[in-house]
Amino acid sequence: STDQKGNTGSKDLSRRGAKPGHPAHQRQLLDIDKAHRVIDCTDKHCPKCSEKNIEHHNIFSQHDVLEIEDGAVRSLIFLRQKIYCPHCRRYYLSALPNGYSNTLIGAKLHGFIASCLVNYHLSTRQLQDLIWQLWGQKLSQGAINTAKKRIHGALEIPHTAIHEEILENEEVKYIDETSWRESGKTAYVWLMTTKTLAYFNINSRRNLEARLHMLPNVVNAAVCCDGYGVYHSIKTVVQRCLCHIFRNINKFESSRDPFTRKLADDMTTCLDRVLKRHKRYRHGEYSFKAMRQYCRRYQRELEVFLEMGIYGSDTSFSRFCEGLWKDFWDWWSFLDNPSLEPTNNEAERTLRGIVILRKKIMFTQSIWGSEFVSRTASVVQTLKKRSMGVLDFLRDTMHAFWASAAFPTFS
């Protein structure tokens, strides 16, 4: 269940490998006759000191790789020749070709695993079955978890680059948060997104410090958010989400006080008409000027309704209206900025994938697991917003990570 639960104590992780009395399960080397390709690897110089006068031995070490090529998983076998460098006085194995690492899983298959787990919300066992059904290849849970750790390391730089670009550009920023659990303890997924970028971060806190890690008080663009208190210190143009306000007011329509019920109904009617008119403006039915004139009328009506609620006899509703009055002018920032939306739906839609994912994987059990989710979700959602290929980008990222080269960009 994803219901709120108390924090649990730290768990002692079991030791890796076979348990006492159980046989070990180890992957056997591929049969050379059944491999799709066999590649001989021979170096002409020492990989350490670049000495060209080296000795080649007729001894080869087999290294297997599973990689996606032409829409299918191919089994590749690299025969790495043993060499001896008299200058270093050491034996080496010939290097693998560019784009391959000393791992079973290839770069593009790494990208496929990351995309299936985070973008398509598959569990590890579902992913195992999918790879078996599609390509007849079996991957253990340990192999998939090891691949996740490599992806986690490779996406650190792109993840940081997304955060920096969001803070630097002048697009409207939408920010939101939702609950999470890490190692049995309460945590939160924070999201800051624009029309072209998305940055996720899983934090154990839902306070001002966590928000400042995502978004400083001073930014060079407008911010759309809900009415949570940590957003009140943002010193820029702020748009409060009218849908959140609508839902909060709607709760008082079942009040016992008839005056409160009538007032809450009138306020939700005004907000509903404002939201519908802005939707028709987005569809091109009205100009920005006409939409703004229409909404100003309901702005004045809501101002009167709030004053009536503050001085009403219902103490609970009065306090509620006082809280709304403090941010009342932030409700209408979208009337002065055509690029602003009156709702935080951009963030809600981007968060939807994480909300589905937490129901499938039942949260994360470690810090690196949370970082894997946040980094992969940030990269995948950014690529989707920019209509870029996920698998190709993740493949190039893994190549750059293994070669210590420049990482691909999102442009």
Side-chain angles (χ1 to χ4, degrees), residues 62-347:
Q62 180 176 332
H63 174 63
D64 301 336
V65 173
L66 299 178
E67 180 60 307
I68 297 178
E69 294 181 349
D70 302 325
V73 171
R74 307 295 187 189
S75 55
L76 312 178
I77 293 180
F78 295 90
L79 298 179
R80 306 175 64 183
Q81 188 174 21
K82 187 176 182 180
I83 60 175
Y84 176 75
C85 176
H87 183 266
C88 298
R89 297 182 180 180
R90 290 186 60 183
Y91 288 95
Y92 297 97
L93 289 177
S94 298
L96 294 169
N98 291 334
Y100 296 95
S101 179
N102 192 26
T103 61
L104 170 68
I105 300 175
K108 197 164 187 176
L109 187 53
H110 272 88
F112 179 81
I113 290 172
S115 182
C116 286
L117 292 175
V118 176
N119 190 27
Y120 297 105
H121 320 123
L122 298 185
S123 66
T124 302
R125 293 188 183 276
Q126 287 174 325
L127 177 58
Q128 286 179 286
D129 184 62
L130 177 65
I131 294 175
W132 168 250
Q133 295 294 337
L134 287 178
W135 300 307
Q137 298 289 349
K138 290 186 177 181
L139 289 179
S140 66
Q141 291 192 52
I144 293 176
N145 286 332
T146 304
K148 288 166 60 177
K149 290 186 178 181
R150 295 192 199 98
I151 297 164
H152 160 262
L155 294 182
E156 180 180 4
I157 292 178
H159 184 245
T160 304
I162 292 173
H163 191 202
E164 293 174 350
E165 187 174 348
I166 288 182
L167 295 178
E168 290 173 1
N169 67 27
E170 297 182 356
E171 289 185 285
V172 177
K173 296 161 179 50
Y174 301 86
I175 187 168
D176 203 359
E177 74 289 330
T178 188
S179 60
W180 191 262
R181 291 184 74 80
E182 180 185 292
S183 301
K185 296 179 172 57
T186 301
Y188 301 92
V189 178
W190 288 80
L191 165 70
M192 181 168 59
T193 184
T194 67
K195 296 291 185 180
T196 58
L197 295 160
Y199 176 78
F200 290 88
N201 182 58
I202 297 179
N203 198 305
S204 60
R205 295 289 182 265
R206 188 175 177 242
N207 55 11
L208 181 61
E209 181 182 354
R211 197 271 294 168
L212 288 173
H213 176 76
M214 290 283 294
L215 181 70
N217 286 332
V218 180
V219 290
N220 58 352
V223 175
C224 184
C225 57
D226 55 31
Y228 187 44
V230 298
Y231 304 126
H232 291 166
S233 59
I234 297 176
K235 295 179 175 60
T236 186
V237 177
V238 175
Q239 171 63 49
R240 303 295 176 190
C241 178
L242 295 188
C243 285
H244 281 79
I245 298 169
F246 182 96
R247 288 196 294 267
N248 291 335
I249 297 175
N250 193 51
K251 297 175 183 177
F252 288 92
E253 291 190 4
S254 58
S255 172
R256 295 182 179 180
D257 183 17
F259 177 77
T260 300
R261 288 201 305 270
K262 178 66 168 59
L263 202 56
D265 182 64
D266 291 340
M267 293 169 70
T268 54
T269 300
C270 289
L271 288 174
D272 182 60
R273 291 176 179 174
V274 168
L275 292 171
K276 286 182 178 178
R277 181 53 60 98
H278 188 272
K279 181 179 179 180
R280 297 179 69 179
Y281 152 70
R282 286 202 318 270
H283 292 166
E285 298 181 27
Y286 292 94
S287 66
F288 180 76
K289 181 179 179 181
M291 183 273 296
R292 180 170 58 185
Q293 289 177 345
Y294 180 86
C295 294
R296 290 293 187 196
R297 167 191 167 189
Y298 291 102
Q299 179 186 2
R300 291 190 291 271
E301 290 189 15
L302 281 166
E303 187 176 356
V304 174
F305 291 152
L306 278 179
E307 290 180 355
M308 294 171 63
I310 290 173
Y311 296 106
S313 59
D314 189 334
T315 306
S316 175
F317 189 63
S318 176
R319 288 197 300 265
F320 172 74
C321 290
E322 286 181 1
L324 292 181
W325 180 257
K326 294 178 182 178
D327 300 324
F328 179 72
W329 303 110
D330 289 341
W331 298 12
W332 311 101
S333 299
F334 73 98
L335 297 180
D336 300 318
N337 187 344
S339 63
L340 263 175
E341 296 282 338
T343 67
N344 203 21
N345 287 347
E346 183 69 29

Side-chain angles (χ1 to χ4, degrees), residues 7-24:
N7 293 338
T8 58
S10 300
K11 299 179 181 179
D12 294 329
L13 299 178
S14 59
R15 299 177 64 181
R16 298 176 62 183
K19 304 300 181 287
H22 294 267

